[in-house]
């Protein structure tokens, strides 16, 4: 029954998160445009099982990539399109499961709204549904943590 339930679950994951950061600082979104900032912003050092993180040089622009090795597998993120208010990237989990992400920002007088959108597909037949649920939960928590860390960074910069 457990296996049947997992087989019937959708094998896609999707995460959408939007948050506004109150700031007079110019472009807090720039932190996300450079992949070398991602390990700290997303607090990957706090994750259990992380073995290695490698970031390309240069770490910005189309083609920039990051590889995160975990005890359970590895994740590759490659920037496919980038501008001052937009970052689009592909995800590849264990050289098999594909995904796509998009980050956008909208800046107004004293605030910046950051939108995250991630979606992907897990191609494992038996446990794909469970893995997709896990990915969705895990990625949502990582995004919330990243936004909170950016917000803290902006507040610290404002106090200096």
């Amino acid at each position: 029954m457990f296996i049947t339930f997992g087989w019937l679950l959708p094998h896609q994951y999707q995460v959408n998160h939007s948050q506004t950061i109150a700031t007079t600082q110019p472009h807090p979104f720039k932190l996300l445009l450079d992949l070398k900032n991602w390990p700290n912003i997303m607090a990957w050092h706090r994750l259990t099982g992380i073995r290695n993180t490698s970031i390309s040089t240069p770490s910005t622009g189309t083609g920039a990539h990051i590889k995160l090795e975990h005890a359970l597998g590895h994740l590759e993120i490659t920037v496919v399109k980038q501008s001052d208010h937009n970052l689009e990237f592909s995800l590849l989990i264990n050289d098999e499961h594909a995904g796509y992400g998009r980050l956008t920002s909208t800046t107004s007088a004293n605030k910046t709204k950051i939108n995250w959108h991630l979606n992907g597909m897990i191609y494992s037949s038996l446990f794909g549904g469970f893995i997709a649920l896990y990915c969705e939960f895990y990625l949502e928590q990582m995004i919330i943590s990243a936004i909170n860390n950016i917000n803290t960074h902006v507040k610290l910069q404002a106090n200096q």
Side-chain angles (χ1 to χ4, degrees):
M1 175 136 148
F2 179 76
I3 292 174
T4 303
F5 182 67
W7 197 27
L8 295 175
L9 284 170
H11 289 222
Q12 294 106 354
Y13 60 88
Q14 183 170 333
V15 179
N16 292 298
H17 188 81
S18 180
Q19 190 162 338
T20 300
I21 298 173
T23 180
T24 56
Q25 299 290 318
H27 311 295
F29 187 71
K30 283 188 178 182
L31 289 169
L32 291 169
L33 294 177
D34 191 339
L35 294 182
K36 73 179 177 193
N37 296 324
W38 283 36
N40 289 331
I41 290 171
M42 306 227 190
W44 289 345
H45 61 281
R46 297 182 66 200
L47 300 175
T48 305
I50 298 296
R51 293 185 176 157
N52 189 32
T53 302
S54 58
I55 303 166
S56 68
T57 303
S59 56
T60 61
T62 303
H65 62 274
I66 190 167
K67 185 172 184 179
L68 179 68
E69 294 179 25
H70 188 275
L72 299 175
H74 60 275
L75 168 70
E76 294 179 57
I77 300 169
T78 303
V79 175
V80 295
K81 188 175 182 182
Q82 184 175 336
S83 68
D84 288 342
H85 300 282
N86 183 57
L87 179 70
E88 297 177 40
F89 54 92
S90 65
L91 299 166
L92 187 61
I93 303 169
N94 291 340
D95 298 322
E96 177 181 9
H97 313 292
Y100 180 80
R102 183 172 187 201
L103 305 172
T104 60
S105 75
T106 308
T107 304
S108 60
N110 291 327
K111 56 188 169 186
T112 298
K113 182 177 182 180
I114 298 176
N115 298 300
W116 294 68
H117 174 75
L118 296 167
N119 64 38
M121 177 68 113
I122 302 298
Y123 296 104
S124 174
S125 58
L126 288 180
F127 298 107
F130 293 114
I131 295 169
L133 283 174
Y134 177 76
C135 284
E136 201 166 285
F137 172 78
Y138 199 71
L139 291 169
E140 177 79 23
Q141 298 309 307
M142 195 176 293
I143 289 168
I144 290 169
S145 177
I147 294 287
N148 289 339
N149 288 337
I150 290 170
N151 201 13
T152 300
H153 178 79
V154 166
K155 286 179 182 177
L156 289 172
Q157 290 276 334
N159 291 333
Q160 291 182 357

